[in-house]
Amino acid sequence: MAPSLVSPQCYYISKRNNEASVSEEAWEKAYQIYNDFVQTLPKAKGWTTQNVIKYQGFWLTPTSALKGVLLVQHHFKPRPTDIFLATSPKCGTTWLKALMFATMNRSSYDFSSHPLLKNGPHDCVTFIEVNMCQDYPIMNLELLLSPRLLAAHIPYDLLPVTKTTFGCKLVYIFRDPKDVLVSTWHFMNKLRPKKLQPLSLGEAYELFCEGISHYAPFWDHVLEYWKASLESPDKILFLKYEDMKREPSVHLRRLAEFVGQPFSFEEEEKGVVQKILRLCSFENLRNLKVNKTGVHRVTDEIVVNNCDFFRKGQTGDWENYLTDEMKQRLDFITEQKLKNSGLTLGSSNRNL
Ligand code: A3P
């Protein structure tokens, strides 16, 4: 059985305040139980860590993701008004965070002095599994005003809030797995510690096809959210990166409506949709000082350069990396996995 972890935040707060609510012994015991538990789980080669481990059907890093998932499962307190951005890594999370943050807070900020001009999108919208692993979180989830905008890479079945009785709404973004693979390969090699050899594209490809990457198998992650979105379309909005690239304003309006904040006639007249799209565009965000030189502190050990969240921001870049054979095999796997689901690759009006 999975252990119930002591939250690092509770531990450090009680230590700082000299309280006994979480003692050193309780902390150490919880982590001994955790480490023993990790030893019982299946292992495979990792992308940014020596190994990834399989927990309830999904591959996670033992150092952060598994801890984060367990902490969320035991300590996260959902609110019915919460809005979640759920994604598999490298599918467009950064863009979605920026768009939703700008949309939901559009009456609070002026576009000329917007928080997104000074802060990376990942510092504006936190991943709950990362937040709960941090000793000193960048934002206190309990103090955030409702409706809270939160993000998660956690698979649908492992995310406690997805049981719709909580009433939360959730936006998911899907992307062509060939582009996800190429994007993941570039990104994970940047995060990969120097003591580990860089992953070659061939190795990354094999791992990805076998379903071994962060919060993967990719297709299982997608299909769980896809099926849930068909069952509860009012609670789960399922988007495609390719559709958003093709018709960003259409999908931004859908997003605003979905969270109950449609653009008014006056806002349309004032060009608010275009202003949000411009602010959150790849070109604009990538060229901001904060995203050129700033960092995003995931944990004390994991610090990401903001510039690494902005690579090309295009659809179809896989063509520059994958051979015909690699493309065909990956498309075949996708076709098999998505068969009979109603979900297809590419923009919504064309098929594989
Ligand atoms: P590429 O590596 O193909 O360029 P995530 O945010 O989930 O980590 O996904 C990262 C991918 O989204 C990267 O893709 C990145 O360049 C792209 N991206 C980041 N910001 C974007 C934006 N504002 N618009 C479109 N794509 C963006």
Side-chain angles (χ1 to χ4, degrees), residues 152-170:
H153 282 321
I154 303 177
Y156 183 79
D157 275 348
L158 306 191
L159 189 62
V161 302
T162 49
K163 311 304 162 237
T164 44
T165 44
F166 285 119
C168 313
K169 284 194 170 185
L170 209 145

Side-chain angles (χ1 to χ4, degrees), residues 265-309:
F265 179 74
E266 291 75 29
E267 286 177 313
E268 290 283 0
E269 289 279 285
K270 283 189 200 151
V272 174
V273 172
Q274 298 313 321
K275 283 182 189 166
I276 292 177
L277 289 175
R278 248 193 324 271
L279 172 68
C280 303
S281 71
F282 180 80
E283 286 307 322
N284 185 56
L285 291 182
R286 188 178 65 153
N287 287 314
L288 294 173
K289 186 166 172 233
V290 62
N291 294 325
K292 279 181 158 174
T293 57
V295 296
H296 173 63
R297 191 167 291 280
V298 180
T299 61
D300 276 350
E301 293 85 41
I302 308 172
V303 179
V304 187
N305 292 320
N306 282 346
C307 62
D308 293 338
F309 290 113

Side-chain angles (χ1 to χ4, degrees), residues 332-347:
F332 180 73
I333 295 172
T334 303
E335 211 174 60
Q336 294 301 305
K337 298 273 188 187
L338 302 189
K339 199 156 81 184
N340 302 327
S341 70
L343 178 61
T344 54
L345 280 191
S347 297

Side-chain angles (χ1 to χ4, degrees), residues 22-49:
V22 183
S23 68
E24 192 96 18
E25 294 85 73
W27 166 262
E28 277 171 14
K29 191 161 169 233
Y31 276 88
Q32 184 56 47
I33 293 171
Y34 174 77
N35 288 330
D36 292 346
F37 174 65
V38 169
Q39 298 306 319
T40 66
L41 299 173
K43 275 195 188 97
K45 184 172 174 130
W47 293 63
T48 58
T49 46

Side-chain angles (χ1 to χ4, degrees), residues 175-176 178-179 241-242 314-321:
R175 189 181 188 192
D176 184 328
K178 300 190 289 302
D179 280 331
Y241 182 88
E242 291 76 16
Q314 294 168 0
T315 57
D317 185 46
W318 61 265
E319 291 191 34
N320 297 313
Y321 294 89

Side-chain angles (χ1 to χ4, degrees), residues 17 21 33-34 53 77 83 117 193 213 233-234 249-250 269 342:
N17 298 346
S21 59
I33 293 171
Y34 174 77
I53 36 111
K77 296 187 194 82
I83 310 280
L117 298 172
S213 59
D234 54 328
S249 55
V250 170
E269 289 279 285

Side-chain angles (χ1 to χ4, degrees), residues 85-100:
L85 308 180
T87 56
S88 185
K90 314 320 290 173
C91 286
T93 323
T94 313
W95 190 19
L96 191 58
K97 280 186 175 184
L99 287 172
M100 284 295 276

